[in-house]
Amino acid sequence: MRINHAAQICALSASDLEEFIADWLAQRCKDYYAHELWRGTGDMGRDATGYVTDRRMEGPWDNFQCKQLSSKLSELAAFVELGKIFKHSADGAFSLPRSYTYVAPFGVVRRVQHFVAHPEQFRQAFLDRWDNDIAERLVGNQIVKLTPGIEAMIQAFDFKNVDWLDAVRLVNDPACKPGLVAWFGADPGPGPRGVVPNEIQASESAYIGQLLNVYDEKKPGTCPDVAAALACPEFGPHLRLQRTRFFDSVAFDRFYRDSTPDEYLRNFKDEIYHGVVDVHAGTHAGRFTRLGQVMQQAAVLQPSGVLGKHAGPQVKQGTCHQFANEGLLPWDR
């Protein structure tokens, strides 16, 4: 049975929606220098902000206005919320945002949808309706007339960068996946298999160099380099298998780094490490034997959580090669 995550987002409280959006922005951090939540009264029309540079709000920034309502965002509310940005920008509180997004789980009324689709009509409507519809609703017990400063901000803002997100649009955004996993226990699904390049990559040179030393201990002089190891009837198939495991683990990491909260992958790797470290540290007949016993142990581990559910033996074994790369569990010690 498919879970309706959009309905779950609609059921969040107003404060939880802001937290959820913060988690969503955290996943989009590659688009931002940093992000921030503004809580309670005095937020000046900001709920969640994403900063493009280290100048933060004095440089380019994006605003996400979260409105957890029991119905669609109304036309008047849309004007008032964005109007707060123009008012406080004119007052010098912050620069105009680069973009403005209404986050309303139930969506927006048709008229708001129309204005977002017609940027210049939206701009003109602000100028035409400010004094009658917006002025008395921006600040408590105060009427904020359309001053030259506010008008300048309305004229300067790029209305093409106004958008809206409802719960369905949020759920369909790939950056929302970690939030769905963390908040609602969503299953991100199985990750892809790795692709093994023909040429040895810099990212695998450390553990492969260690494997050459392992092979040399077992049969000295047989594998002076990778080409010789791959051509060796005994060690060639073994080396190819280790590379498959390594790149399967790399693909696994990449997929779940983008689709689950950061701590999920950290916890998965921590469980793998503690599951094999004692075997690695034990007494063995030789390095090749140690390697084989660590691989056997890794294959049968059953890590907890959703990542453990989707990690096949080769992913767990390849993770051990990542530990070897990092010097945590070197194969040739």
Side-chain angles (χ1 to χ4, degrees):
M1 180 178 176
R2 188 173 181 178
I3 298 174
N4 188 340
H5 296 302
Q8 291 176 313
I9 292 175
C10 288
L12 291 174
S13 68
S15 61
D16 281 348
L17 177 63
E18 292 177 0
E19 292 282 0
F20 184 86
I21 295 303
D23 286 348
W24 172 61
L25 290 179
Q27 184 60 22
R28 293 182 60 187
C29 266
K30 56 182 177 293
D31 299 330
Y32 294 113
Y33 171 80
H35 67 282
E36 190 166 8
L37 276 184
W38 301 82
R39 293 191 174 280
T41 57
D43 64 12
M44 301 183 183
R46 303 160 298 176
D47 277 340
T49 52
Y51 304 126
V52 180
T53 71
D54 59 1
R55 295 187 63 210
R56 297 178 182 263
M57 206 154 280
E58 293 179 350
W61 60 285
D62 297 333
N63 190 62
F64 298 86
Q65 185 63 24
C66 305
K67 304 303 292 183
Q68 185 61 295
L69 308 168
S70 58
S71 59
K72 294 182 177 183
L73 179 70
S74 70
E75 180 181 358
L76 181 58
F79 275 96
V80 171
E81 293 301 328
L82 182 50
K84 293 176 184 177
I85 295 295
F86 297 137
K87 188 269 184 195
H88 292 293
S89 294
D91 289 346
F94 43 73
S95 65
L96 282 173
R98 181 181 66 171
S99 69
Y100 186 99
T101 302
Y102 300 104
V103 182
F106 286 93
V108 299
V109 298
R110 182 59 59 88
R111 193 64 180 158
V112 174
Q113 190 174 356
H114 171 88
F115 278 123
V116 171
H118 297 81
E120 289 309 314
Q121 288 186 32
F122 206 1
R123 185 195 312 279
Q124 190 59 48
F126 263 97
L127 298 172
D128 294 342
R129 297 170 56 174
W130 187 280
D131 285 342
N132 290 332
D133 296 336
I134 304 170
E136 64 182 17
R137 295 179 170 90
L138 296 177
V139 182
N141 301 317
Q142 184 179 343
I143 297 177
V144 181
K145 290 290 188 178
L146 182 63
T147 65
I150 293 174
E151 181 174 356
M153 291 298 159
I154 295 172
Q155 295 288 7
F157 182 66
D158 190 348
F159 277 82
K160 293 192 300 293
N161 293 333
V162 178
D163 205 350
W164 58 275
L165 287 171
D166 62 7
V168 173
R169 287 186 174 191
L170 269 173
V171 167
N172 290 332
D173 187 331
C176 196
K177 269 192 174 182
L180 298 178
V181 173
W183 283 79
F184 310 121
D187 188 339
R193 294 294 301 273
V195 177
V196 182
N198 291 328
E199 300 296 325
I200 302 298
Q201 305 298 298
S203 61
E204 55 177 335
S205 60
Y207 88 86
I208 286 182
Q210 295 168 23
L211 289 179
L212 294 181
N213 291 334
V214 171
Y215 301 153
D216 188 67
E217 180 190 64
K218 188 174 183 183
K219 285 197 173 181
T222 306
C223 302
D225 53 37
V226 173
L230 289 171
C232 176
E234 180 176 357
F235 298 123
H238 183 271
L239 179 55
R240 292 184 184 91
L241 180 60
Q242 307 318 307
R243 295 190 70 212
T244 296
R245 291 167 172 172
F246 175 77
F247 282 104
D248 275 348
S249 72
V250 169
F252 180 91
D253 287 5
R254 185 180 300 116
F255 179 81
Y256 290 105
R257 188 178 292 119
D258 291 340
S259 60
T260 63
D262 293 341
E263 64 270 17
Y264 280 46
L265 189 57
R266 288 198 302 268
N267 292 343
F268 170 79
K269 290 193 169 187
D270 192 53
E271 290 188 35
I272 298 297
Y273 175 81
H274 285 284
V276 301
V277 64
D278 290 336
V279 175
H280 184 276
T283 301
H284 304 276
R287 293 169 174 173
F288 195 84
T289 301
R290 172 190 289 114
L291 170 64
Q293 291 183 352
V294 170
M295 291 289 108
Q296 289 177 31
Q297 175 68 12
V300 299
L301 292 176
Q302 295 183 327
S304 61
V306 67
L307 269 65
K309 170 184 174 182
H310 292 298
Q314 72 279 8
V315 166
K316 294 175 283 188
Q317 292 165 327
T319 299
C320 295
H321 289 313
Q322 293 192 44
F323 296 149
N325 260 354
E326 298 162 7
L328 293 174
L329 298 176
W331 299 128
D332 59 354
R333 75 166 182 83

